[in-house]
Amino acid sequence: ANAESLVNAEAIPHNHIPEIVNIVDPSNAVIFQGDTGLFCPNYVNWLNENENDAAAKKAFEVFKPTLDNLNKLLPDSLKVKTVSDVTNYGDTLLCDVYDNRNMPGLTDEALIGNLTHAFEWFSFHSWYGQLPQRQLGAYNLVQAFLDQIQAFRLGKDYYKAVLYSGHDDNIYGVLGAFGVVTEECLMDNF
């Protein structure tokens, strides 16, 4: 199968899937959702706290020149004015940029790089700015790893290889919980 057909599992006829591959039911995506509103009643409160705290306000000032440059390219109805705007709008904008579907006028590589830093900082801070958010965000995935290791140790059924696919916000939960990614390192890299 070519790379394009691998992206769309429906494009691969079922009889062509190698026997060694187990396609896990998409409902198992719960391993990436321990900190979301679906599972944690504090999710919305933490998100609001993080988007309005002193660190977010300070970062908004640091990224303000970048956001002002972006706003020059946007109609009034789409101007980025809040932390929530950065995370919500930034995701779509940057996916388009990195998929070579640039917004008209958004061709400045430095601006695109700075927008990427702003989006990633605010995303991490909004979703994982508090320790309990990082712990909950990592818990289900780390537990799945540990369950596989334990099954191997006990000689029970286990997968010889497991591939998980997720988004930046899923991966940030684990990286943040183990201190691999921090708000400080994201800002330092800006």
Side-chain angles (χ1 to χ4, degrees):
N2 62 34
E4 187 176 89
S5 68
L6 290 176
V7 172
N8 181 358
E10 292 177 8
I12 304 172
H14 181 66
N15 60 353
H16 285 91
I17 297 175
E19 216 175 287
I20 59 170
V21 174
N22 276 319
I23 297 178
V24 179
D25 183 326
S27 66
N28 285 330
V30 69
I31 64 172
F32 289 122
Q33 298 176 349
D35 64 323
T36 67
L38 298 173
F39 299 97
C40 180
N42 294 317
Y43 173 75
V44 172
N45 293 335
W46 286 332
L47 191 66
N48 288 331
E49 287 173 14
N50 295 349
E51 289 183 352
N52 294 295
D53 68 8
K57 289 176 183 170
K58 181 179 176 184
F60 202 84
E61 289 305 311
V62 169
F63 291 114
K64 189 167 182 354
T66 296
L67 300 175
D68 288 345
N69 286 333
L70 172 64
N71 282 335
K72 290 175 188 174
L73 303 172
L74 299 174
D76 287 341
S77 61
L78 294 176
K79 299 248 188 253
V80 175
K81 300 173 188 157
T82 66
V83 171
S84 183
D85 291 344
V86 177
T87 58
N88 293 332
Y89 184 66
D91 191 31
T92 302
L93 174 71
L94 291 170
C95 286
D96 285 351
V97 165
Y98 289 106
D99 196 28
N100 293 318
R101 294 179 291 172
N102 288 4
M103 175 184 95
L106 185 57
T107 57
D108 182 316
E109 293 295 322
L111 176 57
I112 292 169
N114 289 344
L115 286 171
T116 302
H117 283 286
F119 169 72
E120 294 302 337
W121 190 92
F122 285 115
S123 296
F124 183 85
H125 182 73
S126 295
W127 301 324
Y128 300 109
Q130 297 181 42
L131 179 61
Q133 288 175 291
R134 293 189 297 275
Q135 292 169 330
L136 288 170
Y139 179 80
N140 291 330
L141 185 57
V142 172
Q143 189 62 53
F145 294 159
L146 295 174
D147 290 346
Q148 284 296 308
I149 292 168
Q150 185 69 0
F152 171 78
R153 288 183 62 230
L154 298 174
K156 295 181 178 180
D157 283 340
Y158 65 93
Y159 296 111
K160 292 183 180 178
V162 178
L163 174 67
Y164 293 101
S165 176
H167 295 272
D168 54 351
D169 57 322
N170 308 131
I171 296 166
Y172 270 167
V174 175
L175 296 176
F178 289 101
V180 175
V181 173
T182 65
E183 293 169 10
E184 294 80 16
C185 79
L186 290 169
M187 190 59 79
D188 287 348
N189 283 315
F190 174 66

